[in-house]
Amino acid sequence: MKSASGPRRASSCAIVRDRIVSPKGKCGKREVRLPASLAAKLRAHLAAQPDQDSTALAFLSEADGPLDPGNLRRRVLKPLADKVDAPWAGFHTFRHTFASLHLSQGTNLLQLSRALGHHSPAFTLTRYTHLLPGDEAPALDLTPHIEGRSEAEGIARSK
């Protein structure tokens, strides 16, 4: 883990059919940046765990193994989604929300692509284009640049 305000290096893995597996590609391994307050809470949680090995899971099932995504979806996410009248919400919704919030805040597309673990910004753009506001590019006013150049050219010609 880096400084409290810096990123926490995540151990890149996925749970597939009750097994912990490596990411599909090299882009899947990345740093996950956390706000300092959340990083501090995570540090405290990890310090309270009996297994301090760097490969230990941060969150365990009641059987001290990896959380079962299907069980978590069925027992936690679905009831919460139903309670707030969002039956469409799933785990992937959080990823989509992450991307849309970053796009709305003007995050650099290359940085967002890396954070999502995509192989290229082009892939990120094709996946999340519908989240960008407006269908058309705004008018580009070049008047200040043209006028500025004209004045400079005028001065150069008069000499």
Side-chain angles (χ1 to χ4, degrees), residues 1-138:
M1 213 180 282
K2 292 189 180 178
S3 69
S5 60
R8 165 164 172 65
R9 186 162 198 76
S11 175
S12 300
C13 66
I15 299 173
V16 179
R17 295 190 177 119
D18 299 329
R19 288 186 23 230
I20 298 174
V21 297
S22 295
K24 291 186 257 185
K26 67 179 181 179
C27 295
K29 292 185 179 183
R30 58 198 180 272
E31 288 186 350
V32 176
R33 297 186 179 273
L34 301 174
S37 61
L38 184 55
K41 288 179 182 179
L42 183 58
R43 277 192 190 94
H45 171 76
L46 293 172
Q49 303 308 306
D51 186 359
Q52 293 298 311
D53 184 287
S54 65
T55 62
L57 297 173
F59 304 102
L60 301 171
S61 69
E62 290 176 359
D64 289 335
L67 294 171
D68 175 6
N71 193 21
L72 198 56
R73 184 179 302 107
R74 200 172 34 260
R75 294 177 65 191
V76 178
L77 184 59
K78 177 126 176 57
L80 284 173
D82 289 344
K83 185 176 182 178
V84 297
D85 197 28
W88 43 265
F91 287 121
H92 204 75
T93 306
F94 299 129
R95 182 178 175 83
H96 210 72
T97 300
F98 175 86
S100 63
L101 290 173
H102 272 282
L103 286 170
S104 71
Q105 292 179 9
T107 298
N108 175 295
L109 192 60
L110 178 59
Q111 293 170 329
L112 179 59
S113 179
R114 288 178 179 161
L116 292 167
H118 290 161
H119 63 280
S120 75
F123 179 82
T124 305
L125 193 55
T126 58
R127 184 61 78 196
Y128 295 104
T129 300
H130 66 284
L131 298 175
L132 297 172
D135 292 358
E136 299 174 5

